[in-house]
Amino acid sequence: MSRIDAIKRHLVEEYELGTAPAELADDYDLLRNGVIDSLALLTLVSWLENEYALDIDAADVVPDNFRTAASIDAFVAAAVPTAKVG
C-alpha cells in the first residue's frame, strides 16, 4: 500500500468520512470541509509520528501541511529523510 493510500485509509477510518479511501480525492480540503479541527490535527500529527517514525516540530504544524491527503503525503515525504531510526 502506498503512503498516500495509508494516509487516506487513516483519514477515512479516524474521521468517519463516509467514503472509501480510494474514493477520497487527493485534493479534498480537510480543513475547509470541517474534517480536521485543532484537536483532530493533534491526533493526526501523533499518528503520523508513530506511523512514520517522525518527530514533527510544532513550527511545521501549519494548515497548508495538513489541508489535503496530498499535502500530508508531501509533508511526510519531505520529513522522512529526517525520520528517527528504530
Side-chain angles (χ1 to χ4, degrees), residues 26-64:
D26 291 357
D27 63 350
Y28 178 78
D29 195 320
L30 300 162
L31 302 176
R32 180 172 293 149
N33 289 299
V35 175
I36 294 186
D37 58 15
S38 57
L39 180 57
L41 181 57
L42 294 176
T43 303
L44 177 59
V45 166
S46 178
W47 178 79
L48 290 169
E49 288 180 326
N50 291 327
E51 187 72 14
Y52 298 104
L54 301 175
D55 187 13
I56 298 173
D57 189 270
D60 292 326
V61 182
V62 295
D64 285 343

